[in-house]
Amino acid sequence: MSESAYERVKLARDKDRPTGLDYIRNIFKGFIEFHGDRRYADDPAIVGGIARLNGSPVTVIAIEKGHTAKERTYRNFGAPNPEGYRKALRLMKQAEKFGRPIICFIDTSGAFCGIGAEERGQGQAIAENLMEMSTLCVPVISILIGEGGSGGALALAVADRVWMLQNAVYSVISPEGCASILWKDLAKAETAAQSLKLTAEDAKSLGVIERILSEKEIGKKEFYDRIRTLLTEELEELEHDPDLVSNRYDRFRNIGTGAVIKE
Amino acid sequence: MAVMNFLKPKNQLEEGGRTSAPIQRDAGEPEKNCPNCHKDIALSRLWANDLVCPCGYHFRMKARQRIQMIADKGRFRELFSGMKADNPLNFPGYRDKIETVRAASGEREAVLCGTAMIGKQKCCLFVMESYFMMGSMGSAVGEKITLLFEYAIQYRLPVIGFTVSGGARMQEGLLSLMQMAKTSAAVKRHSDAGLLYIAVLTDPTTGGVTASFAMEADIILAEPGATVGFAGTRVIEQTTKKSLPKGFQQSEFVLEHGFIDSIIPRVSQKKYLTEILKMHDGRAI
Ligand SMILES: [Zn+2]
């Protein structure tokens, strides 16, 4: 892993990377998309529905950035509004009702920072997902495929297993945001990226993720086949875990405890 | 309009008689300028009023002063007071920063937790500290709040939490972000156990704290004029290139949009909380 942290950030943002829908279409069969949060609107930045993974029904949810300029505008560049998170939660509750595992693909610079987003409770929407996902009684696997931007990414990542693509990043704040707040200097984004420990290797050594997915042949059939196999194997294991929910609690409960000094 | 309540309040403090007696003023007594009515207010008068200007403006308050105001006299027992952040990522400048803040604030971390009696009702209480890195949430803050909810589950107690936060503490990177999930899971367990959680949002409550335990309470209250939101206003202006509506992200605005149960001025908070605690007494068993 020779690239610097900031080079990883650029790779994670690369417009040519596969997006959420590419993963859904290539890993699963018979995807049926469902729309709307039943409260306000349908958010095109989050796509969700049901599909088959090796024949078994699963619920899939993905943050979608789009490929073309037109798509990217339509998808709000993958920055979800509160209704996107509420749609995701609705589909997760539906999955729980019908005993389907949930698989989330995450790729966002962050939850959208807009007037309407605030008026409709962006913070409340994320908070509710964090709370409700912690006790879903079906297996949840979340994969960070590009950018994992703060609370907007975490709102789909309170999962039993969290995986990251080799060049995905996961961070509490963008390196640019960090540099401008701490050092009032955008040029220090590289230092910030390094200091924030946002690469897949960093996340794994901090105990935040379980697995790093290789990007060998990314976007090709072999790449998606590999992820399909890993998902199938992991779900097999999770579906037989009688302590699924309490293990998920402990998973998050223990993160960061080593970073606290007790006097 | 709710916003006007804070701009032109009836002065409940004066009505309550707490400051109706004229306070003796020294000529050289220090004053503080109120950002709302732009008058200079004597510090002694502000302190006697729980840091509320006669115009109704709520100044920021240190966590320990707030505990004195809310808890019955001598009935706050601090828990987990020895916990503090390390520098888990070796983030440049963090260790010096936090030592400076510790010395200046006299606190080890950005939240105080404990058990308290409020109007003779037993509860768990946490109060965040704005004078400690603007109440930012790192691993120690997340751990203390999680421990408090777990304690409250064990002893079947309600939790009352006063929030003030600029968001997640970026010097602890991903570990800070994960505290949002960790605290939320603890709140959920407490809630599923049938126990009451009341959050009181004070100025400012933003970012990762808004997007976790601040917005997860059964009853969400706020102080008048408090900034409550997820994203910072500057970021929103840069993103949308639009000017923000009047009163945007103030608690009155958030109340109007349906995300807060009620705005309670400081002078009424203890009575209000006592009443709610009493109405839930025995319900959770
Ligand atoms: Zn004033």
Side-chain angles (χ1 to χ4, degrees):
Chain A
M1 302 303 148
S2 52
E3 298 94 348
S4 77
Y6 199 54
E7 280 163 351
R8 295 295 192 82
V9 173
K10 287 184 197 155
L11 284 170
R13 290 172 180 168
D14 188 348
K15 288 193 177 72
D16 294 329
R17 277 177 89 78
T19 62
L21 272 172
D22 296 323
Y23 286 84
I24 292 181
R25 285 175 186 137
N26 288 288
I27 293 172
F28 306 90
K29 284 217 168 74
F31 174 58
I32 303 170
E33 187 178 356
F34 299 138
H35 292 276
D37 68 345
R38 299 287 194 274
R39 281 162 172 76
Y40 178 77
D42 183 43
D43 184 357
I46 294 188
V47 173
I50 52 175
R52 286 183 186 274
L53 177 71
N54 276 335
S56 303
V58 293
T59 286
V60 286
I61 296 164
I63 302 182
E64 173 61 27
K65 281 185 173 171
H67 286 289
T68 64
K70 202 176 154 191
E71 278 171 8
R72 289 171 75 81
T73 307
Y74 172 64
R75 301 290 179 185
N76 199 29
F77 304 89
N81 273 285
E83 41 282 8
Y85 295 112
R86 293 186 180 120
K87 168 167 71 178
L89 183 59
R90 178 176 78 83
L91 296 179
M92 289 191 244
K93 291 280 187 182
Q94 191 185 75
E96 186 178 46
K97 173 174 175 182
F98 296 107
R100 287 191 291 264
I102 299 162
I103 297 152
C104 299
F105 296 93
I106 297 162
D107 186 12
T108 181
S109 59
F112 188 57
C113 297
I115 296 168
E118 294 291 320
E119 289 174 333
R120 301 191 297 278
Q122 187 72 282
Q124 187 276 336
I126 294 170
E128 189 167 7
N129 280 23
L130 302 184
M131 221 178 153
E132 294 299 325
M133 285 185 82
S134 74
T135 54
L136 288 170
C137 60
V138 291
V140 186
I141 299 177
S142 294
I143 308 179
L144 292 126
I145 57 172
E147 283 184 281
S150 201
L154 181 64
L156 298 180
V158 183
D160 304 298
R161 299 286 185 271
V162 182
W163 299 345
M164 276 175 85
L165 270 280
Q166 185 185 323
N167 291 318
V169 293
Y170 197 6
S171 184
V172 69
I173 187 170
S174 72
E176 293 82 4
C178 178
S180 76
I181 292 171
L182 275 189
W183 302 305
K184 320 270 176 238
D185 185 1
L186 262 181
K188 292 223 167 111
E190 249 172 271
T191 316
Q194 191 69 38
S195 309
L196 283 166
K197 302 276 191 287
L198 44 64
T199 68
E201 291 81 13
D202 293 329
K204 187 144 190 288
S205 70
L206 290 169
V208 171
I209 64 164
E210 277 80 16
R211 192 191 283 273
I212 300 171
L213 303 176
S214 158
E215 295 194 6
K216 198 161 163 263
E217 295 159 315
I218 188 167
K220 301 223 172 73
K221 184 178 179 297
E222 294 80 353
F223 171 75
Y224 294 115
D225 287 350
R226 213 164 54 227
I227 297 177
R228 186 187 309 112
T229 305
L230 288 172
L231 283 171
T232 309
E233 286 170 3
E234 199 72 43
L235 285 179
E236 175 72 22
E237 194 186 314
L238 291 171
E239 278 172 337
H240 292 97
D241 181 356
D243 303 317
L244 185 75
V245 177
S246 67
N247 284 342
R248 191 184 306 138
Y249 185 88
D250 293 341
R251 184 193 182 281
F252 287 92
R253 179 69 188 82
N254 296 328
I255 294 176
T257 44
V260 180
I261 303 169
K262 294 167 190 108
E263 280 182 349
Chain B
M1 263 280 283
V3 179
M4 300 311 286
N5 291 345
F6 135 69
L7 294 171
K8 282 186 185 170
K10 288 197 288 182
N11 192 342
Q12 299 189 41
L13 288 173
E14 303 274 17
E15 281 175 4
R18 292 184 58 184
T19 57
S20 52
I23 290 170
Q24 294 296 322
R25 284 190 56 182
D26 300 333
E29 193 186 0
E31 294 177 325
K32 205 171 164 107
N33 191 266
C34 170
N36 183 49
C37 68
H38 305 293
K39 286 182 186 151
D40 291 325
I41 321 292
L43 274 185
S44 60
R45 184 166 185 198
L46 270 183
W47 277 79
N49 273 359
D50 295 323
L51 291 180
V52 179
C53 179
C55 79
Y57 180 82
H58 284 53
F59 286 89
R60 285 184 192 151
M61 189 176 216
K62 279 191 64 98
R64 289 198 191 269
Q65 191 185 354
R66 195 179 280 284
I67 289 169
Q68 276 189 1
M69 175 186 93
I70 286 295
D72 296 350
K73 199 164 188 289
R75 299 307 300 272
F76 175 74
R77 189 169 66 90
E78 192 172 350
L79 292 168
F80 329 122
S81 62
M83 293 194 164
K84 60 180 193 178
D86 198 356
N87 184 4
L89 308 186
N90 283 316
F91 197 96
Y94 183 36
R95 197 176 298 276
D96 289 346
K97 166 96 185 161
I98 208 157
E99 286 310 328
T100 310
V101 170
R102 273 182 194 137
S105 66
E107 301 295 349
R108 285 196 184 86
E109 260 302 336
V111 68
L112 299 177
C113 296
T115 56
M117 299 290 271
I118 297 177
K120 299 185 181 139
Q121 309 293 304
K122 189 162 189 195
C123 64
C124 282
L125 176 66
F126 73 85
V127 181
M128 299 184 82
E129 176 60 271
S130 62
Y131 291 89
F132 196 103
M133 295 184 80
M134 196 36 87
S136 66
M137 173 160 65
S139 304
V141 170
E143 180 69 14
K144 285 177 81 171
I145 287 175
T146 302
L147 282 170
L148 190 71
F149 276 94
E150 290 173 343
Y151 182 97
I153 296 167
Q154 192 185 343
Y155 294 98
R156 301 206 58 80
L157 291 170
V159 174
I160 292 180
F162 286 81
T163 62
V164 54
S165 184
R169 192 175 296 170
M170 64 188 133
Q171 292 91 338
E172 291 184 38
L174 267 181
L175 295 178
S176 291
L177 184 67
M178 293 304 125
Q179 303 310 311
M180 293 167 63
K182 173 166 140 182
T183 52
S184 298
V187 173
K188 182 67 160 65
R189 278 198 170 178
H190 184 259
S191 176
D192 287 349
L195 299 166
L196 172 70
Y197 167 34
I198 306 170
V200 187
L201 317 185
T202 75
D203 183 59
T205 295
T206 60
V209 166
T210 297
S212 61
F213 55 85
M215 281 289 163
E216 293 167 345
D218 299 294
I219 298 163
I220 304 177
L221 310 172
E223 294 204 323
T227 294
V228 174
F230 175 64
T233 50
R234 206 153 27 109
V235 178
I236 296 171
E237 277 175 329
Q238 279 166 5
T239 309
T240 60
K241 315 245 185 315
K242 284 180 193 153
S243 58
L244 303 174
K246 201 158 184 280
F248 184 68
Q249 285 188 337
Q250 282 195 350
S251 48
E252 293 78 5
F253 177 95
V254 184
L255 176 85
E256 254 177 67
H257 285 87
F259 291 94
I260 287 175
D261 286 284
S262 195
I263 293 175
I264 310 296
R266 238 167 244 171
V267 65
S268 321
Q269 283 171 9
K270 180 160 180 167
K271 195 162 165 262
Y272 191 97
L273 291 171
T274 302
E275 198 54 32
I276 295 182
L277 285 171
K278 279 184 182 165
M279 289 180 92
H280 289 79
D281 186 36
R283 295 289 177 86
I285 296 160

